Amino acid sequence: MCIRDSPIRSGWRMLLPTMTPWLAVGLSLVVGITLFGLIGPFLVGDPEQIRDQGLTGPSGEFWLGTTQTGQDVLAQLAHATRGSLQIGFLVGVLATLLSAFFGIYGAYKGRFVDEAFSLLSNVFLVIPGLPLIIVISGFVPRESRGLWTIAVVLAVTGWAASARVLRAQTLSVRNRDYVAASQVAGERPWRVIMVEILPNLLPVIASQFVFAVIAAILGEAGLSFIGLGASNSSTLGTMLYYAQNGFALSLGAWWWFIPPGLIIAMFGTGLSIVNFSIDEIINPKLKNLRLHRKRARRAARLERQLTRTASADPEVSDR
């Protein structure tokens, strides 16, 4: 007996990307590095402990070798991964909130509010992002340049493009019948946005959040590499900064600078693959193709069930 999925359950499944080998690889990279950043610092020693074993290669005692001052690279990598993940998550949340406010609320209100928010978004879009980040970070004193400061700087300079995308999507959803019916019924604006508009934009918001996290980790690594990163926290960018100042490349200490760069590359690759899978929900052409594939798989599964039933019951096959 075939049990059919309820419409609600099927609707929720349509909001999730189809599991593919590439998506499985992306999720494995993201989950693995996230667990390493969350659990790793509790399993390693003190990353600041100085020893008399400077620039030793990977060994049984130090799996990723040591720095010039004998500090354990694996311990530094675990704490640095946690710091980069924290900044990426903070920037992703802040940038998504800013883009959702200026994009969704502005497009829903329309008229003067939409024009003002669009003008502000365009101003931030035409300003070069990296030079602006460098200028803002340079004006902040080093002792005040903490994790939250860097996160706010990266979020303020990285929300405009996402706001434009959300504005276009909101303008499309705002003209639908159920939104107009809610407005005619006298619903408050915040309820119309939260109940009628926002659920339709969740895949887009998720995609923008993932993109913001990628940009934040890369942006923070760039800032830290030139000495403008957070002064009171360890990140993958600060590891690369100290490796550069310690002449790790010229001394051939590959175990000092390759692991943090590899973590950044692998995490960015994993998030990019996840983001491409989310695009399958956003893009109407890919969404229709996905629906056809699901129907084809469902039909093939039903045909196999009927074939097994017919082979097991001779009376059914005679009919």
Side-chain angles (χ1 to χ4, degrees):
M1 182 178 180
C2 181
I3 301 176
R4 296 183 179 180
D5 293 339
S6 64
I8 297 178
R9 187 177 180 183
S10 300
W12 276 108
R13 284 183 177 179
M14 289 302 298
L15 292 177
L16 300 175
T18 304
M19 181 57 67
T20 60
W22 279 110
L23 179 57
V25 171
L27 289 175
S28 300
L29 290 174
V30 173
V31 173
I33 294 175
T34 301
L35 291 177
F36 175 69
L38 295 177
I39 303 176
F42 298 104
L43 304 178
V44 296
D46 184 8
E48 302 297 332
Q49 182 180 355
I50 297 177
R51 304 174 181 85
D52 56 357
Q53 303 175 5
L55 283 184
T56 59
S59 62
E61 183 179 3
F62 302 105
W63 291 2
L64 291 180
T66 60
T67 65
Q68 274 187 335
T69 56
Q71 295 168 324
D72 188 1
V73 175
L74 179 60
Q76 289 189 346
L77 185 66
H79 286 81
T81 302
R82 170 183 285 186
S84 292
L85 291 176
Q86 288 176 341
I87 288 183
F89 179 77
L90 287 176
V91 175
V93 172
L94 293 176
T96 302
L97 290 176
L98 288 173
S99 60
F101 174 74
F102 288 103
I104 299 176
Y105 181 75
Y108 175 77
K109 295 295 291 185
R111 297 183 181 179
F112 175 75
V113 176
D114 187 28
E115 292 294 334
F117 286 0
S118 296
L119 177 62
L120 185 62
S121 301
N122 292 333
V123 169
F124 275 90
L125 279 175
V126 298
I127 297 177
L130 183 59
L132 179 60
I133 295 174
I134 294 175
V135 170
I136 296 176
S137 300
F139 274 103
V140 179
R142 181 173 179 80
E143 59 274 7
S144 302
R145 203 186 306 141
L147 186 145
W148 271 97
T149 304
I150 298 299
V152 170
V153 169
L154 292 172
V156 169
T157 56
W159 60 270
S162 299
R164 299 295 298 177
V165 175
L166 291 175
R167 176 181 179 272
Q169 295 291 328
T170 304
L171 290 176
S172 174
V173 176
R174 187 186 64 176
N175 298 323
R176 296 182 181 177
D177 294 338
Y178 55 86
V179 177
S182 299
Q183 294 172 340
V184 171
E187 296 288 351
R188 295 182 179 181
W190 66 266
R191 191 181 186 282
V192 176
I193 293 175
M194 297 298 295
V195 177
E196 305 296 345
I197 296 179
L198 192 60
N200 295 279
L201 302 180
L202 287 180
V204 184
I205 294 175
S207 176
Q208 298 301 321
F209 173 79
V210 172
F211 178 78
V213 173
I214 298 173
I217 293 178
L218 294 177
E220 186 280 328
L223 284 177
S224 298
F225 188 74
I226 61 178
L228 295 176
S231 59
N232 60 351
S233 63
S234 176
T235 63
L236 296 171
T238 58
M239 278 194 69
L240 293 174
Y241 171 75
Y242 288 118
Q244 179 198 25
N245 288 350
F247 304 101
L249 183 61
S250 59
L251 294 175
W254 57 267
W255 58 87
W256 193 359
F257 61 88
I258 285 184
L262 189 61
I263 289 290
I264 294 175
M266 292 173 61
F267 194 71
T269 301
L271 287 178
S272 299
I273 294 175
V274 174
N275 207 13
F276 293 153
S277 300
I278 296 176
D279 186 58
E280 180 184 326
I281 305 174
I282 302 172
N283 193 326
K285 295 182 179 179
L286 296 178
K287 189 174 182 179
N288 293 334
L289 180 61
R290 174 193 181 198
L291 183 59
H292 291 321
R293 288 176 178 174
K294 282 191 172 183
R295 290 176 177 173
R297 286 195 297 267
R298 187 178 301 172
R301 186 166 59 250
L302 180 60
E303 183 179 356
R304 288 194 298 268
Q305 290 177 352
L306 292 176
T307 302
R308 287 195 297 266
T309 304
S311 60
D313 191 352
E315 295 182 0
V316 175
S317 58
D318 294 338
R319 295 177 186 176

